[in-house]
Amino acid sequence: MIQNARARAKAAGVPFLLKASDIVVPTHCPILGLPLFQITGKKGGGPNSPSLDRIEPELGYVPGNIVVISNRANRLKSDASIEELRAIASFYATFQRGVRVTGASPKGNP
């Protein structure tokens, strides 16, 4: 995980200051609740593989700016359901500002 993150940081031109001890892999994804486990022999892992996410992408891979989530949660931007997007929004709103988001209405609908 750390070697891949270092390569992604270099390619993206962002800082990489992590040590292995900075990365804590939970048993379950904090966003979707999926159990986390590494799938061997599959490039990119599977949906339950742990994935290192940068909270503020431009800050890079530095202590305090990363969280380990499931590969599924980290890839949801391309094919998420409303329920999955709400879970992501709720997690990051709570993580960054201490405010829990329970769901948003579509633009123009109160």
Side-chain angles (χ1 to χ4, degrees):
M1 185 180 292
I2 203 160
Q3 290 174 330
N4 291 336
R6 185 178 287 115
R8 287 191 305 273
K10 185 175 182 179
V14 296
F16 182 90
L17 303 173
L18 296 177
K19 299 177 291 205
S21 61
D22 295 322
I23 301 172
V24 176
V25 180
T27 60
H28 289 75
C29 173
I31 298 172
L32 300 177
L34 301 172
L36 295 179
F37 50 86
Q38 190 65 45
I39 297 175
T40 57
K42 182 177 179 185
K43 188 174 180 174
N48 293 71
S49 293
S51 179
L52 198 56
D53 185 40
R54 294 173 285 160
I55 306 301
E56 303 268 344
E58 65 279 358
L59 297 180
Y61 294 90
V62 298
N65 191 49
I66 55 109
V67 63
V68 176
I69 61 176
S70 65
N71 193 34
R72 173 71 180 141
N74 219 356
R75 294 184 182 270
L76 278 173
K77 294 176 194 169
S78 64
D79 64 2
S81 72
I82 281 293
E83 291 78 22
E84 291 170 325
L85 287 172
R86 283 188 178 134
I88 291 170
S90 179
F91 174 81
Y92 282 102
T94 301
F95 189 86
Q96 292 182 337
R97 294 182 287 286
V99 176
R100 190 86 177 161
V101 175
T102 58
S105 297
K107 197 168 191 153
N109 294 332

